């Protein structure tokens, strides 16, 4: 396929939704150099861009993760407490609660090895669009074309691993318009160095989440190890002496999770009317199960805390995103964007002939989606960690003996090391919680799908949700790492022959799960990919590469300025201070969730021990979303001026479109000065301060 770049008048470009203002989560192969030059007189070198790429990392933990940044030549990585929280929770053994009390390793020997955290650095990237798209035989159906693309991608990944030894992934951009080979340096020996008390990392709790002003020390430090020693990391961020300053250009590299700005109106309508409400039902059911379990006692509340907080954060974000789609003005803007693009395509016969049928193809495919959506949402065992392990083992047994290109994506050769790290995690498993969550989920599936649904019948048989959950969790050996290791060592035969009740449950429901996955891949995803490639080519033809792709938890670069904003009839400052933290605590009489941790209560009695005028949190206009948590906020010199951890409520609809900074949309970060002030004067972590400042 040969790309066509036909730019039209600037006014038309703007009306068609080309990136303006501080918009965009740009790839490193196509950074917004023109915008930087015109608006900020900033022209970074390729060496500057390569440096920040190699100093920005992706943290992977099971199905979650976030961003981090290397801040010393000895493998020191900074991220958010809420990104590292899962590992801190898993390290809270022997009666310790490191999430509640915090942790600091004053020496290397005290650093705690994380049970299942993987850190990736994007070492190189290569455009393989032509290779992937050339694999599709002319006239192939959507299903056959999808298989041909997957085979080509698997072969490219396999060859790359053999040639470089690096973790290699073929990444789809622009919904199939481009394919890039990303090669990652992997670290699996990652150790906890510092994490503050959650009460100060998540100060104000859910009330203050997605709001501003804020007062959160949402930071955590890990260290990368290689061959048993701290990794030598030549590419790392220096620390700014003054930190973030009003009106200053800031750059935010990171791994934003997911946006949906390039979806068609038919896809957005489905999300608004079906997809998001179902997602809300799933997350709400899981959160309520965790809340009921937490009510059993203090220890149960500790066990459930990480999952509950994560779900509450996701639910609050989804409420804001759904509000955006339900806003007639916003939805009309998306309709207008699509109509103008289609009009531009229709204006040239060759474009219409090549791309014009893409939108109707997606709309037709999506007509079949709503009747299947509830089954797709509730036909699984993933509400329980043990249920997830069981399903994954059963799926692995069905896939691993197939040729590499024919396997499910998660079981391709290049992903097996990460897969095994997750499956053999020594993170604690709490059988009582597992049973409660599985029982609640099966009860919810029964309620949502009905007793005659194939999944419900296969899962429950003649038992109740509570009876089935008790039987399979109590009798399963998947709680034992050694048993899981024996299954991986023995391969498909060992898994299929294992006399384990939870594996048997997973095996009973797996044919239904696979049937639904095949339906979704063949009837929806393959059509989306084929049509998405055409729409991407249409965008390239009309816009050139002035458009950025949707985020997909791969490395991007955003930018903006440090700036307060106007809200209703008042002004909101760009930064808060430690003065504000203590004022907020006193104003609420230190009642939850505004109580201060003991270390901070002592400072309240001795305020001279801290420079209360030190900036604490700050806001800026960079285009960020979930997954950017832990992203470094840097200045022109590539120095750390803060770390991203949240956004305000005005920004939440930005999953579907960019919300202009004039409307008060802001990202929220921890100021670099607050990090130094807290580490040195509150936690006595002077060696850590010295390491990041040298």
């Amino acid at each position: 396929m040969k790309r066509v770049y036909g730019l039209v008048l600037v006014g038309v470009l703007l009306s068609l939704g080309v990136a303006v203002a501080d918009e965009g989560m740009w790839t490193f192969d196509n950074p917004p150099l023109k915008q930087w030059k015109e608006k900020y007189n900033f022209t970074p070198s390729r060496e500057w861009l390569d440096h920040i790429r190699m100093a920005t990392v992706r943290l992977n933990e099971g199905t979650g993760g976030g961003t981090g940044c290397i801040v010393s030549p000895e493998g020191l990585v900074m991220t958010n407490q809420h990104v590292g929280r899962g590992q801190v929770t898993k390290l809270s053994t022997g009666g310790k609660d490191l999430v509640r009390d915090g942790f600091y390793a004053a020496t290397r020997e005290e650093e705690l090895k994380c049970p299942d955290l993987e850190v990736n650095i994007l070492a190189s990237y290569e455009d393989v669009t032509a290779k992937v798209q050339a694999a599709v035989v002319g006239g192939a159906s959507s299903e056959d074309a999808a298989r041909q693309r997957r085979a080509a991608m698997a072969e490219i990944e396999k060859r790359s691993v053999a040639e470089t030894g690096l973790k290699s992934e073929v990444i789809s951009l622009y919904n199939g318009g481009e394919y890039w080979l990303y090669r990652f340096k992997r670290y699996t020996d990652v150790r906890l160095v510092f994490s503050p008390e959650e009460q100060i990392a998540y100060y104000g709790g859910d009330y203050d989440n997605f709001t501003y002003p804020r007062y959160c020390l949402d930071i955590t430090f890990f260290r990368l190890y290689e061959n048993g020693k701290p990794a030598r990391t030549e590419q790392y961020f220096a620390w700014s002496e003054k930190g973030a300053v009003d009106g200053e250009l800031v750059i935010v590299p990171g791994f934003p999770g997911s946006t949906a700005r390039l979806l068609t109106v038919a896809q957005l309508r489905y999300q608004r009317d079906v997809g998001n409400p179902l997602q809300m039902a799933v997350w709400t059911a899981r959160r309520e199960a965790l809340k009921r379990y937490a009510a059993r006692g203090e220890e149960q509340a500790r066990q459930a805390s990480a999952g509950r907080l994560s779900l509450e954060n996701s639910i609050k974000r989804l409420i804001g995103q759904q509000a955006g789609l339900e806003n007639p003005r916003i939805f009309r803007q998306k309709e207008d964007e699509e109509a103008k693009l289609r009009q531009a395509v229709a204006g040239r016969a060759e474009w219409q002939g090549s791309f014009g049928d893409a939108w109707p193809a997606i709309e037709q495919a999506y007509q079949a989606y709503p009747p299947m959506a509830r089954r797709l949402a509730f036909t699984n065992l993933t509400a329980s960690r043990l249920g997830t392990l069981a399903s994954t083992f059963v799926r692995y047994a069905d896939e691993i003996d197939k040729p590499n290109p024919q396997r499910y994506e998660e079981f391709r050769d290049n992903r097996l090391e990460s897969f095994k790290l997750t499956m053999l995690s020594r993170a604690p498993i709490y059988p009582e919680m597992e049973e409660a969550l599985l029982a609640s989920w099966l009860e919810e599936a029964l309620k949502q799908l009905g007793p005659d649904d194939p999944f419900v019948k296969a899962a429950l048989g003649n038992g109740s949700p509570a009876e089935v959950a008790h039987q399979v969790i109590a009798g399963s050996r998947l709680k034992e790492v050694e048993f899981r290791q024996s299954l991986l060592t023995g391969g498909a035969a060992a898994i299929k022959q294992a006399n384990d009740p939870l594996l048997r449950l997973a095996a009973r429901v797996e044919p239904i799960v696979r049937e639904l996955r095949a339906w979704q891949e063949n009837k929806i995803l393959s059509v989306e990919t084929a049509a998405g490639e055409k729409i991407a080519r249409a965008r390239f033809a009309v816009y050139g590469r002035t458009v950025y792709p949707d985020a997909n938890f791969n490395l991007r670069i955003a930018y903006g300025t440090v700036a307060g904003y106007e809200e209703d009839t008042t002004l909101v400052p760009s930064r808060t201070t430690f003065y504000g933290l203590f004022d907020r605590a006193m104003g609420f009489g230190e009642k939850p969730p505004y109580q201060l941790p003991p270390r901070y209560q002592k400072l309240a009695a001795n305020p001279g021990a801290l420079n209360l005028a030190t900036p604490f949190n700050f806001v800026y206009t960079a285009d960020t979303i979930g997954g950017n948590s832990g992203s470094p906020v840097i200045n022109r010199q590539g120095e750390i001026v803060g770390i991203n951890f949240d956004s305000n409520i005005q920004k939440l609809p930005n999953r579907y479109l960019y919300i202009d900074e004039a409307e008060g949309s802001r990202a929220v970060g921890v100021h670099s000065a607050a990090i130094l002030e807290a580490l040195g004067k509150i936690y006595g972590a002077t060696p850590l301060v010295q390491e990041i400042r040298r």
Side-chain angles (χ1 to χ4, degrees):
M1 184 272 292
K2 183 177 180 180
R3 293 194 191 122
V4 180
Y5 297 98
L7 298 179
V8 295
L9 293 175
V10 172
V12 177
L13 286 173
L14 293 174
S15 73
L16 286 172
V18 175
V20 294
D22 292 338
E23 177 181 358
M25 303 172 193
W26 299 85
T27 53
F28 271 70
D29 66 277
N30 184 34
L33 298 176
K34 184 173 183 289
Q35 292 91 321
W36 288 345
K37 175 65 176 176
E38 292 178 351
K39 186 171 183 180
Y40 298 105
N41 194 28
F42 176 54
T43 307
S45 65
R46 173 48 59 183
E47 290 74 21
W48 188 94
L49 288 164
D50 288 343
H51 166 66
I52 67 171
R53 167 173 59 83
M54 296 289 287
T56 306
V57 304
R58 180 173 67 186
L59 289 83
N60 295 316
E61 179 188 9
T63 57
T67 301
C69 52
I70 303 173
V71 292
S72 93
E74 295 181 346
L76 188 66
V77 170
M78 179 173 66
T79 187
N80 293 145
Q81 187 268 356
H82 77 263
V83 172
R85 189 187 197 286
Q87 296 300 311
V88 179
T89 299
K90 294 167 186 177
L91 291 167
S92 296
T93 58
K96 298 177 182 178
D97 190 342
L98 305 183
V99 175
R100 180 192 63 201
D101 301 331
F103 174 80
Y104 170 52
T107 66
R108 300 284 193 272
E109 292 73 25
E110 295 174 280
E111 294 174 357
L112 301 178
K113 187 171 183 177
C114 298
D116 55 0
L117 181 60
E118 178 180 315
V119 172
N120 298 155
I121 298 173
L122 180 58
S124 66
Y125 51 88
E126 176 187 344
D127 188 355
V128 294
T129 305
K131 294 179 183 178
V132 174
Q133 293 182 344
V136 177
V137 177
S141 66
S142 295
E143 295 94 327
D144 288 340
R147 283 191 288 271
Q148 291 160 5
R149 286 189 206 94
R150 287 196 296 269
M153 292 162 69
E155 182 58 32
I156 292 169
E157 291 170 345
K158 183 176 181 179
R159 184 179 299 116
S160 175
V161 172
E163 292 174 352
T164 67
L166 297 173
K167 178 178 181 178
S168 301
E169 298 177 357
V170 175
I171 307 301
S172 171
L173 300 176
Y174 300 100
N175 297 332
E178 289 185 354
Y179 294 89
W180 287 77
L181 173 61
Y182 282 11
R183 299 184 182 95
F184 296 94
K185 167 76 172 174
R186 300 173 68 240
Y187 291 92
T188 56
D189 186 351
V190 185
R191 306 187 190 184
L192 178 65
V193 177
F194 172 85
S195 190
E197 309 92 328
E198 183 160 83
Q199 183 52 34
I200 194 64
Y202 190 50
Y203 189 75
D206 192 51
Y207 286 110
D208 283 7
N209 193 23
F210 295 118
T211 67
Y212 189 78
R214 295 288 290 280
Y215 306 90
C216 296
L217 191 69
D218 195 352
I219 60 169
T220 285
F221 288 89
F222 295 102
R223 192 180 304 281
L224 308 177
Y225 276 73
E226 202 164 28
N227 300 319
K229 297 179 181 180
R232 305 304 301 171
T233 46
E234 295 181 4
Q235 304 293 339
Y236 64 92
F237 290 108
W239 207 270
S240 168
E241 287 298 320
K242 62 182 180 180
V245 177
D246 264 354
E248 180 181 29
L249 168 66
V250 291
I251 309 294
V252 186
F255 291 81
S258 175
T259 57
R261 299 177 187 179
L262 300 184
L263 293 187
T264 68
V265 169
Q267 291 169 310
L268 290 171
R269 190 177 295 116
Y270 171 83
Q271 290 298 321
R272 182 193 65 190
D273 299 340
V274 181
N276 284 349
L278 271 177
Q279 186 65 76
M280 182 65 73
V282 168
W283 283 344
T284 300
R286 293 185 176 184
R287 180 192 62 183
E288 293 307 304
L290 284 165
K291 288 173 68 174
R292 289 191 296 271
Y293 177 73
R296 296 183 184 184
E298 184 177 344
E299 172 58 18
Q300 288 88 341
R302 184 192 71 80
Q303 295 170 10
S305 178
R308 179 181 59 79
L309 288 177
S310 176
L311 284 166
E312 286 178 349
N313 185 67
S314 297
I315 287 169
K316 194 168 186 179
R317 183 188 299 115
L318 182 59
I319 289 171
Q321 293 170 350
Q322 180 69 359
L325 284 183
E326 291 176 348
N327 182 314
R329 178 181 62 84
I330 289 177
F331 205 85
R332 186 163 52 251
Q333 181 177 336
K334 299 302 295 184
E335 290 175 323
D336 289 345
E337 286 176 7
E338 180 174 305
K340 289 170 183 175
L341 176 57
R342 294 179 71 173
Q343 183 179 7
V345 169
R348 293 182 60 166
E350 66 271 29
W351 289 357
Q352 180 63 24
S354 298
F355 317 136
D357 63 347
W359 290 272
I362 289 177
E363 186 165 9
Q364 182 177 356
Y366 265 68
Q367 291 174 2
Y369 219 164
M372 301 292 290
R374 193 169 301 274
R375 291 188 64 199
L376 287 161
F378 288 94
T379 301
N380 60 74
L381 302 174
T382 56
S384 152
R385 182 179 164 205
L386 283 176
T388 302
L389 286 170
S391 292
T392 306
F393 269 120
V394 168
R395 205 159 296 138
Y396 172 80
D398 287 338
E399 294 292 313
I400 194 57
D401 291 332
K402 294 179 180 178
N404 185 52
Q406 296 178 20
R407 297 179 202 157
Y408 283 161
E409 182 178 2
E410 61 267 30
F411 300 118
R412 287 186 197 152
D413 289 342
N414 68 310
R415 288 166 171 77
L416 289 180
E417 287 188 36
S418 299
F419 159 75
K420 290 175 182 177
L421 177 68
T422 300
M423 300 303 282
L424 299 178
S425 168
R426 292 190 175 275
I429 291 174
Y430 307 107
E432 181 188 2
M433 184 169 74
E434 292 293 315
E435 181 179 331
L437 297 184
L438 183 58
S440 177
W441 181 248
L442 292 175
E443 187 70 51
E444 187 68 21
L446 175 61
K447 170 185 167 185
Q448 293 282 347
L449 302 177
D452 294 327
D453 177 80
F455 170 76
V456 173
K457 291 170 71 174
L460 297 183
N462 295 320
S464 69
E467 290 169 345
V468 171
H470 176 71
Q471 177 192 20
V472 299
I473 298 297
S476 178
R477 293 186 60 198
L478 288 175
K479 300 181 283 288
E480 306 166 18
V481 177
E482 293 72 21
F483 179 64
R484 284 179 259 147
Q485 177 66 74
S486 71
L487 294 178
L488 287 178
T489 302
I495 296 168
K496 293 177 180 179
Q497 294 169 12
N499 187 25
D500 186 278
L502 189 50
L503 286 172
R504 291 200 302 269
L505 168 62
R508 290 200 304 272
V509 303
E510 182 63 14
I512 301 140
V513 175
R514 295 180 77 90
E515 178 186 349
L516 289 172
R517 178 168 176 167
W519 181 89
Q520 187 176 38
E521 288 180 348
N522 293 333
K523 301 301 182 183
I524 304 295
L525 301 183
S526 65
V527 175
E528 284 182 326
T529 301
E533 179 183 323
K534 291 182 178 182
I535 293 172
R537 290 167 60 194
R539 283 196 175 95
F540 291 145
V542 176
Y543 304 157
R545 294 195 83 211
T546 61
V547 181
Y548 54 91
D550 269 326
N552 57 1
F553 200 40
N554 282 286
L555 189 61
R556 302 296 176 87
I557 190 165
Y559 66 97
T561 55
V562 178
Y565 55 98
E566 207 173 315
E567 184 170 15
D568 296 327
T569 59
T570 191
L571 296 176
V572 181
S574 68
R575 66 185 187 182
T576 61
T577 66
F578 279 91
Y579 277 119
L581 168 68
F582 288 101
D583 177 72
R584 195 155 179 78
M586 298 306 106
F588 282 102
E590 286 211 67
K591 295 179 181 178
Y594 298 105
Q595 74 275 26
L596 292 168
R599 287 185 182 91
Y600 292 76
Q601 291 174 348
K602 292 178 182 178
L603 285 170
N606 183 24
L610 197 67
N611 180 1
L612 297 177
T614 302
F616 202 156
N617 291 167
F618 69 109
V619 289
Y620 39 97
T621 62
D623 193 0
T624 62
I625 201 165
N628 276 119
S629 292
S631 286
V633 185
I634 62 176
N635 59 21
R636 296 168 184 256
Q637 290 72 42
E639 299 169 330
I640 294 284
V641 300
I643 182 170
N644 185 79
F645 76 92
D646 203 3
S647 65
N648 62 4
I649 202 91
Q650 292 92 323
K651 196 181 184 76
L652 289 183
N654 78 329
R655 171 172 167 77
Y656 300 108
L657 80 169
Y658 174 70
I659 305 298
D660 192 88
E661 57 259 30
E663 299 183 40
S665 170
R666 294 293 186 273
V668 186
V670 185
H671 198 282
S672 59
I675 297 170
L676 295 181
E677 189 78 5
L679 288 175
K681 296 182 180 179
I682 300 176
Y683 296 95
T686 303
L688 194 54
V689 172
Q690 292 172 340
E691 182 176 355
I692 63 180
R693 294 191 72 175
R694 66 182 175 187

